[in-house]
Amino acid sequence: MMDAPPLDTPPLDTSGDTPDDLAWTSLLALRDAPGRTPLPDAIAATPPVVAGCALARLFAPVLAPPGAADGCMVLGRLAQTLDGRIATTSGSSQWIGGRGDILHTHRLRALCHAVVVGAGTVKHDNPRLTTRECCGPSPVRVVLDTDRRLGPDYGIFAAGGPPTLLVCADDSGGGETHGAADVLRVPRAAIGGLDIQALLPLLAARGLTRIFVEGGGLTVSRFLAAGCLDRLHVTVAPVLLGSGIPAFTLPEAARIADGLRFEWGVHNLGDDVLFDIALHRARPAVCEGRA
């Protein structure tokens, strides 16, 4: 059984801290106890300088109790250029977002029980997926590799880091470990990749109920197409590429109505702009009827 890692950060001396520092300390305190007090009440009980802070307003929905039957709250995140690219054609993506977006990403890791990435992200970036840029625990790392094409020599599969799960198709070969990672098998999806709807209850059974889908674009798109995203954070950086890998990959839409229209909140992340989108498991009409 792989439970969510405990909050192992020692109490902070908050004397002289900024409102953002105080808000972050309060949010971390709520990370593993959102059910003890209703979240709005818990936020309201913090000092006014915290409760009214933009950081608290941005992250409070992440800490909301899961509302879906699978027991998970799932948030996807992408950083893209102004023209909707998340990487160059060769796969280079470091770094589209600035320092504010990097800090935001690490804070999402710290608030969530698990961080999910696809095999392509591991192959191109060899990420650690830890919380080096902020105070807070590192999440369980979950790598989606349908056909188990990644070798065990990537850093994420090495011993000594946070726990890691390799998720593959139930008909793929190999043993029950991959380097230091445990292997979790799920059915294939009819449209390609893994059955996301089958994966989420398995993660919840391991105590991983707050899920951060960090990338890449194909992985976030598959969660969106499956109707498995509660929220979506999209950072737009002041960069134009004119070519490269698109942020979202979905079935071709014949009409504007085949897409997904939504409301969003807008937050500044230094030079970047963050769009906070409440999806509530909605998916584009073009994806309806696909599994």
Side-chain angles (χ1 to χ4, degrees):
M1 180 73 67
M2 182 180 293
D3 293 328
L7 180 60
D8 53 7
T9 305
L12 299 179
D13 176 7
T14 59
S15 57
D17 283 345
T18 67
D20 274 4
D21 293 332
L22 294 172
W24 182 242
T25 302
S26 298
L27 288 164
L28 281 178
L30 296 172
R31 177 190 185 272
D32 291 310
R36 297 178 187 176
T37 304
L39 191 61
D41 295 342
I43 294 291
T46 60
V49 70
V50 173
C53 180
L55 199 68
R57 293 195 302 271
L58 173 60
F59 287 115
V62 179
L63 295 172
D70 53 42
C72 293
M73 194 295 299
V74 187
L75 181 144
R77 171 262 177 198
L78 289 173
Q80 66 174 51
T81 63
L82 184 61
D83 52 343
R85 310 292 178 170
I86 60 169
T88 65
T89 303
S90 65
S92 174
S93 62
Q94 299 179 344
W95 300 100
I96 287 177
R99 294 296 305 171
D101 179 63
I102 293 172
L103 175 59
H104 176 72
T105 300
H106 283 240
R107 282 172 167 166
L108 285 173
R109 292 175 186 172
L111 290 179
C112 291
H113 302 138
V115 56
V116 178
V117 295
T121 296
V122 174
K123 180 179 178 180
H124 285 290
D125 299 340
N126 196 17
R128 285 179 279 178
L129 303 181
T130 57
T131 54
R132 304 178 302 282
E133 298 289 336
C134 71
C135 180
S138 293
V140 173
R141 303 172 298 183
V142 180
V143 178
L144 307 187
D145 185 10
T146 305
D147 295 304
R148 227 168 149 171
R149 294 176 178 172
L150 292 172
D153 51 340
Y154 289 95
I156 200 169
F157 300 128
T164 303
L165 279 172
L166 175 74
V167 184
C168 60
D170 52 13
D171 59 355
S172 64
E176 298 311 304
T177 58
H178 193 79
D182 292 332
V183 172
L184 179 64
R185 301 176 186 273
V186 299
R188 293 178 184 268
I191 61 173
L194 299 168
D195 186 337
I196 303 300
Q197 294 180 357
L199 170 63
L200 293 179
L202 297 179
L203 295 179
R206 292 170 176 259
L208 310 176
T209 59
R210 196 176 302 120
I211 312 298
F212 174 32
V213 186
E214 186 170 328
L218 182 59
T219 298
V220 174
S221 296
R222 284 178 170 166
F223 273 79
L224 176 61
C228 290
L229 288 181
D230 294 285
R231 301 193 80 86
L232 178 63
H233 283 187
V234 178
T235 299
V236 178
V239 179
L240 285 171
L241 285 180
S243 63
I245 299 173
F248 297 96
T249 302
L250 297 169
E252 183 175 346
R255 307 169 303 152
I256 298 299
D258 290 335
L260 178 62
R261 193 173 293 273
F262 44 77
E263 296 181 351
W264 59 25
V266 182
H267 302 262
N268 290 325
L269 294 179
D271 292 334
D272 304 328
V273 177
L274 171 70
F275 295 95
D276 173 26
I277 302 161
L279 291 176
H280 305 297
R281 300 292 178 103
R283 58 179 175 172
V286 71
C287 299
E288 295 292 343
R290 296 171 180 260

